[in-house]
Amino acid sequence: MREIVVISGKGGAGKTSIAGAFAHLAEDTVLCDLDVDAPDLHLLLDPRHRVEHEFRSGNEAVIDPEMCIGCGQCAELCRFDAIAGPDDANPDSAYSVLPFRCEGCKVCVALCPAQAIAFPERHCGEWYVSDTRFGTMVHAQLFPGEENSGRLVTLLKREARAIAEERGLGLVLSDGAPGIGCPVISSLAGTDLAVLITEPTPSGMHDLMRVAELCEGFRTRVAVIINKWDINPTQADAIEAYCSGKGYPVVCRLPHDRAVTDAMVNRQVVTEYDRGQLSDTLKTAWTAILARLEAG
């Protein structure tokens, strides 16, 4: 069983549109959306949730108002100002924790003289196993501001692998997160090939270099797609020259094409919506990606 992840050095480079097209073209595949902070592959694939789970990670302090003696020691000790005092309108009310400020350091829990502070696991989001028209999809949604995205990505990858192995499927195809942060690092663990999406701009070149360097650190092979190459052919040539020098194959150049936006508006992937040259180019790219994957 092999794993391919589609990533980019920054958001908005066309990563999910291209990953959606590859989901359409792939066979014997489990799909996975690893962009857990801002997932949007579901907008194209319209998944029907078959299994839903809560994602719990980390801890947060919770004060029991019945046990709180109002000494205020927790507020004095909290370096994150995450403890609110009694309500001015109700002086007899207890101290309380501000969830968005609580870092889960446990100082207040350990030093509360009344042992009035619990420390439960934090409910950070939801994750799902769903059916789509292209096969099973494993995906998730972190709640706004929640952390531990890398841990959630690891969980999704493990679940997708288990489903693929159980059904005898040969590939896990993932839409990764943009950038080089924790969710991207987690998405590269155990991945056979990373498809890097970039645009022909100076910032696109810079971000491509960063994410390619990260892949090298994990010894993950890469293939590159230059999206909207025709908006700056000179910069596209510079990116291709850089890739040639580093030994990164550029599997295709995609032109700027309104069909991509029209496909999204119709909640389709571009290879479903467009039957022209753009789809043919993506099919050729997918064939080249599979060939690089098999080359080992």
Side-chain angles (χ1 to χ4, degrees):
M1 193 264 295
R2 304 292 185 87
E3 292 186 34
I4 295 175
V5 62
V6 182
I7 53 178
S8 58
K10 70 176 186 63
K15 169 180 60 61
T16 298
S17 294
I18 294 170
F22 290 160
H24 178 213
L25 300 174
E27 298 178 350
D28 298 331
T29 303
V30 175
L31 308 173
C32 198
D33 190 347
L34 302 179
D35 190 358
V36 296
D37 288 293
D40 50 14
L41 188 59
H42 64 283
L43 299 176
L44 299 175
L45 303 192
D46 196 20
R48 297 176 301 281
H49 298 169
R50 179 154 42 86
V51 180
E52 300 184 18
H53 297 275
E54 290 184 351
F55 174 63
R56 294 184 176 274
S57 185
N59 298 79
E60 66 178 355
V62 178
I63 298 175
D64 183 342
E66 299 297 326
M67 297 178 64
C68 178
I69 59 176
C71 67
Q73 182 163 297
C74 53
E76 294 175 8
L77 293 172
C78 182
R79 61 180 296 188
F80 304 105
D81 295 327
I83 306 292
D87 188 344
D88 291 340
N90 182 13
D92 294 331
S93 60
Y95 282 77
S96 60
V97 177
L98 304 172
F100 282 109
R101 290 190 177 181
C102 179
E103 293 287 331
C105 68
K106 206 179 177 180
V107 167
C108 60
V109 178
L111 299 178
C112 174
Q115 298 183 342
I117 306 178
F119 199 52
E121 275 194 315
R122 188 191 296 264
H123 182 197
C124 301
E126 309 284 344
W127 66 276
Y128 316 97
V129 178
S130 301
D131 295 319
T132 78
R133 59 190 183 280
F134 304 143
T136 297
M137 176 175 166
V138 183
H139 55 122
Q141 173 72 68
L142 273 181
F143 298 147
E146 294 294 351
E147 300 178 347
N148 294 302
S149 56
R151 185 175 175 185
L152 180 54
V153 166
T154 299
L155 185 155
L156 297 183
K157 283 172 64 75
R158 184 172 64 242
E159 185 68 20
R161 288 171 184 159
I163 293 172
E165 291 173 357
E166 178 184 339
R167 300 180 183 178
L169 302 178
L171 181 66
V172 173
L173 173 63
S174 299
D175 179 20
I180 58 171
C182 289
V184 179
I185 291 171
S186 296
S187 72
L188 288 175
T191 293
D192 297 284
L193 180 67
V195 180
L196 311 184
I197 313 300
T198 187
E199 291 178 324
T201 63
S203 63
M205 170 75 92
H206 173 264
D207 293 335
L208 172 65
M209 290 177 174
R210 291 201 312 162
V211 74
E213 183 179 353
L214 181 65
C215 291
E216 287 190 357
F218 278 85
R219 299 182 179 178
T220 302
R221 288 172 294 148
V222 305
V224 178
I225 291 177
I226 305 174
N227 195 21
K228 304 176 188 176
W229 73 270
D230 48 345
I231 63 174
N232 191 337
T234 300
Q235 189 66 41
D237 289 343
I239 290 175
E240 190 145 357
Y242 161 75
C243 291
S244 178
K246 301 291 286 188
Y248 307 148
V250 177
V251 293
C252 77
R253 292 183 174 200
L254 294 175
H256 182 269
D257 195 316
R258 184 179 173 81
V260 176
T261 303
D262 290 341
M264 285 191 287
V265 171
N266 285 277
R267 304 195 70 169
Q268 292 182 311
V269 301
V270 67
T271 45
E272 288 178 295
Y273 182 82
D274 175 81
R275 304 293 181 182
Q277 184 62 44
L278 182 61
S279 285
D280 290 342
T281 303
L282 282 164
K283 291 174 183 175
T284 301
W286 179 243
T287 300
I289 289 167
L290 292 180
R292 179 156 175 75
L293 184 67
E294 293 302 322

